[in-house]
């Protein structure tokens, strides 16, 4: 009798013994697994400590890269970085075998692509064009390397290499200097045409790159110079569009002239531009795509200038529906409290848009204002919408005095899924780089590590990042997975002491500070925007400097990457906005994002005030509109997480004239 059969028979005779034996077995297995995990953790910590020591010794030139104790480091995830550093320093010696071995060992990784890019640069510098072509891979990107690759193909005897140049050259901006030699060959080849030059000329003028336009004009045919000069005239004086009605309409570029001229003129005088467009349009000049784009742009400018009826007639005449135009019309109608028009326009939105919380809210509100929905029916509609965990759901909950719906549902992942993601080499490298403070490299490894993950794996990655304390990546992973219901992961409680200290000093509620930090940086203390805003609260250095002076604090730009200082300065600036706008968080939040002077302009003159929800919905900047809605909603979620009873908006904020 086998041992497994004997075990089954014993279980039949004594279930209690069977369960006890199974439990003991599981306990033993779990204990063994825990022991292995503890041992692995200890080994990893020792390797990490040794790696840091080795890096310090290399930086201090106490040891060379050839003296690294690889045997002691074992399988530590960041060993490739030491190998990369060693190899990268020796590229000029052309170590072909070592480079190929590294590229093979770490194929598809960020580090391999980085080495390959540097290797190609080295080969180009030495004019090893045959090798350059054989090693080049499009995945590494970069226009300059693409140009060098096509140059290499041409030098290596491929006559069709120049066929790929037009796409690179025909851009509305200047291209890298390293493309110049390739471009010169292409311009003298049969692949170049003045039609392509005209296309680039138009793009350059549209992008306001006049120096580039002047250069490209030289590549046009003499017959195209007149059209090019006319287009440039429209850049300086768009009213000149009225002078081209008698021009030969069959000339290349005339359609571009009309399209550009009408769009540019409409920004100056939309009604006059409409009159000119109707004269040109009667000749059916533009192709369908360009024509629709012109009509849509012109209609939007008409609405911006308050000529809604003319915009509608233009769209109806062309049987064109534009979501952008429709939504702008709805907001204008809301501001005027023209509920009949609001109702009509909402029904013209695509079904998917109408089903969104935003337009469901305004549909209920509109029908109630029109009297076509009873108070009971409106309440029923708001109650259904209050199940949503967003700005409109919270607004609806307030209107029906319901609790806010958090609908929290924790991410559920299996041990196997967590292990599978944790064992991805790029994720392991990312973890170590994050723990050692090499954040830029950690981000790159993370991006490579998650790019092919499915939803379950992304959720596991989100939980891993949360366990490490890398909350921005946790939030991003759940977003990539389109999983919105784990509010603990998506809205973590962080920087407890710093938040409490900043809240006390600035007298700004902690949930409000958390909401701003969550919206601004997703809790990345080293965040920096393209505009130069820095840190958790994304403060501009100039604003931070002024705020520091108001507090009598010493300040350096680098302080903005320190959470305690950033939160204090951000909280103080937010407090100043609250004071300026009478404690109204709607206005203070808008001012934090767009600046107080813009908010002053957006406030309606006395006697033309609108309701608070309409004011928020009609904020002119789409970014600021979403920002205000998110921050107010996030404040509610953070109040829930902190166990604080709160309201989306206070009575004073709802009643203050806007």
């Amino acid at each position: 009798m086998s041992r497994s059969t004997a075990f089954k028979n014993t279980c039949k005779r004594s279930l209690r013994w069977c369960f006890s034996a199974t439990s003991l077995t599981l306990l033993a297995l779990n204990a063994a697994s825990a022991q292995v995990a503890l041992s692995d953790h200890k080994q990893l910590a020792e390797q990490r400590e040794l790696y840091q020591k080795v890096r310090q010794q290399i930086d201090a030139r106490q040891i060379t890269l050839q003296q690294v104790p690889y045997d002691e480091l074992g399988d530590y995830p960041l060993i490739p970085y030491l190998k990369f550093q060693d190899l990268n320093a020796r590229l000029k010696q052309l170590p072909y075998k070592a480079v190929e071995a590294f590229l093979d060992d770490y194929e598809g990784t960020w580090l391999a692509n980085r080495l390959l890019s540097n290797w190609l640069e080295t080969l180009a510098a030495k004019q090893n064009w045959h090798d350059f072509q054989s090693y080049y891979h499009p995945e590494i990107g970069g226009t300059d390397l693409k140009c060098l690759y096509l140059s290499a193909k041409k030098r290596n005897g491929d006559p069709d290499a120049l066929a790929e140049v037009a796409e690179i050259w025909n851009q509305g901006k200047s291209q890298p200097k390293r493309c110049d030699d390739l471009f010169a060959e292409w311009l003298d080849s049969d692949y170049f045409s003045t039609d392509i030059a005209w296309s680039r000329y138009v793009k350059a003028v549209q992008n306001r790159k006049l120096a580039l336009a002047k250069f490209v004009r030289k590549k046009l045919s003499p017959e195209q110079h007149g059209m090019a000069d006319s287009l440039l005239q429209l850049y300086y004086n768009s009213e000149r569009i009225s002078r081209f009605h008698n021009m030969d309409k069959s000339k290349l570029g005339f359609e571009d002239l009309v399209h550009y001229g009408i769009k540019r003129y409409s920004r100056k005088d939309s009604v006059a531009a409409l009159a000119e467009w109707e004269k040109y349009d009667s000749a059916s000049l533009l192709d369908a795509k360009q024509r629709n784009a012109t009509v849509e742009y012109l209609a939007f400018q008409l609405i911006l200038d308050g000529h809604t009826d003319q915009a509608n007639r233009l769209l109806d005449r062309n049987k064109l529906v534009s979501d952008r135009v429709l939504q702008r019309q709805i907001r204008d109608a809301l501001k005027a409290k023209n509920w009949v028009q609001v109702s009509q326009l909402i029904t013209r939105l695509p079904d998917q848009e109408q089903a969104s919380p935003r337009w469901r809210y305004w549909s209920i509100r509109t029908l109630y204002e029109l009297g076509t929905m009873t108070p009971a029916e409106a309440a029923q509609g708001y109650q259904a919408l209050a199940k949503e965990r967003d700005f409109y759901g919270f607004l609806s909950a307030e209107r029906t005095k319901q609790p806010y719906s958090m609908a929290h549902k924790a991410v559920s992942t299996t041990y196997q899924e967590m292990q599978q993601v944790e064992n991805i080499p790029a994720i392991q490298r990312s973890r170590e780089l994050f723990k050692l403070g090499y954040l830029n490299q950690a981000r790159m490894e993370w991006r490579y590590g998650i790019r092919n993950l499915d939803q379950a794996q992304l959720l596991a990655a989100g939980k891993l990042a949360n366990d490490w304390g890398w909350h921005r990546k946790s939030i991003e992973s759940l977003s990539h997975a389109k999983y919105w219901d784990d509010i603990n992961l998506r809205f973590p409680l962080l920087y407890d002491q710093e938040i409490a200290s900043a809240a006390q000093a600035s007298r700004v509620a902690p949930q409000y500070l958390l909401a701003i930090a969550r919206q601004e940086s997703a809790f990345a203390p080293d965040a920096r925007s393209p505009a130069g805003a820095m840190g958790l609260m994304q403060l501009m250095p100039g604003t931070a400097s002024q705020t520091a002076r108001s507090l009598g604090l010493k300040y350096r730009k680098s302080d903005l990457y320190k959470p305690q200082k950033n939160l204090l300065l951000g909280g103080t600036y937010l407090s100043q906005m609250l004071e300026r706008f009478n404690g109204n968080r709607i206005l203070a939040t808008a001012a934090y994002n767009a600046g107080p002077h813009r908010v002053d302009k957006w406030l309606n003159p006395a006697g033309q005030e609108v309701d608070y929800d309409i004011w928020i919905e009609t904020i002119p900047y789409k970014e600021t509109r979403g920002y205000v809605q998110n921050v107010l909603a996030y404040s509610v979620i953070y109040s829930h997480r902190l166990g604080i009873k709160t309201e989306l908006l206070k009575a004073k904020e709802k009643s203050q004239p806007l």
Side-chain angles (χ1 to χ4, degrees), residues 313-357:
R313 284 195 294 271
L314 176 64
L315 292 169
D316 291 343
R317 190 164 59 247
N318 289 278
K319 298 179 181 178
L320 191 65
V321 176
S322 163
D323 285 355
R324 183 173 75 131
V325 171
L326 265 178
Q327 293 195 28
R328 175 70 198 206
Q329 287 177 301
I330 294 171
R331 291 189 173 94
D332 284 348
L334 279 171
K335 206 162 193 175
K337 291 192 175 182
N338 186 339
W339 299 109
V340 171
Q341 191 176 41
V342 172
S343 179
Q344 292 171 346
L345 291 168
I346 288 177
T347 60
R348 292 175 61 186
L349 288 169
D351 291 344
Q352 187 175 357
E353 278 293 316
Q354 290 188 52
S356 69

Side-chain angles (χ1 to χ4, degrees), residues 245 262 273-283 298 310 314 317:
H245 291 288
I262 294 296
L274 174 62
E276 294 300 327
W277 167 247
E278 288 174 340
K279 295 174 189 176
Y280 284 110
D281 191 35
S282 62
L298 180 54
Q310 287 167 288
L314 176 64
R317 190 164 59 247

Side-chain angles (χ1 to χ4, degrees), residues 508 512 516 573-596 599 603 615 624 627-628 631-632 653 656 658:
V508 173
Y512 193 16
I516 293 280
Y573 179 66
L574 191 56
S575 176
Q576 292 170 356
M577 294 301 98
L578 285 166
E579 185 175 353
R580 176 169 178 159
F581 292 106
N582 252 343
N584 191 312
R585 288 174 301 136
I586 299 171
L587 303 180
T589 304
Y592 194 95
N593 176 257
V599 175
L603 288 171
W615 193 90
T624 304
Y627 184 94
V628 170
V631 167
L632 292 174
E653 292 169 325
Q656 184 176 335
L658 300 175

Side-chain angles (χ1 to χ4, degrees), residues 356-368:
S356 69
R358 181 190 305 275
W359 300 119
R360 283 170 61 195
Y361 173 84
W362 286 112
S363 181
I364 297 166
R365 178 104 151 77
T366 301
L367 294 175
Y368 175 75

Side-chain angles (χ1 to χ4, degrees), residues 32-153:
S33 298
Q35 191 66 33
V36 169
L38 187 62
S39 175
D40 289 345
H41 182 76
K42 182 180 178 182
Q43 182 184 12
L44 183 61
E46 290 172 351
Q47 290 173 331
R48 186 182 301 140
E49 184 178 353
L50 178 58
Y51 178 82
Q52 289 177 279
K53 182 180 178 181
V54 167
R55 286 295 297 258
Q56 290 168 359
Q57 290 174 328
I58 291 170
D59 293 342
R61 298 185 177 180
Q62 294 171 353
I63 65 170
T64 65
L65 287 159
Q66 287 73 38
Q67 294 173 317
V68 170
Y70 286 110
D71 290 343
E72 294 180 52
L73 283 167
D75 59 353
Y76 184 59
L78 296 187
I79 284 178
Y81 279 78
L82 295 173
K83 293 181 177 179
F84 170 86
Q85 190 176 351
D86 174 29
L87 198 49
N88 197 53
R90 296 189 289 114
L91 287 182
K92 290 182 180 179
Q93 301 168 23
L94 299 181
Y96 281 90
K97 289 185 178 179
V99 168
E100 288 179 3
F102 189 94
L103 296 178
D104 286 342
D105 289 344
Y106 304 108
E107 183 180 2
T109 67
W110 171 64
L111 213 50
N113 284 351
R114 187 178 168 196
L115 182 73
L116 178 56
S117 177
N118 294 348
W119 177 238
L120 289 169
E121 295 281 0
T122 302
L123 293 174
K126 292 184 177 291
Q127 298 189 9
N128 290 9
W129 299 115
H130 178 79
D131 292 338
F132 186 101
Q133 183 179 345
S134 65
Y135 278 101
Y136 177 80
H137 194 285
E139 188 178 337
I140 63 172
T143 301
D144 51 351
L145 285 178
K146 179 67 179 291
C147 286
L148 290 175
Y149 167 66
L150 294 178
S151 293
K153 285 181 71 175

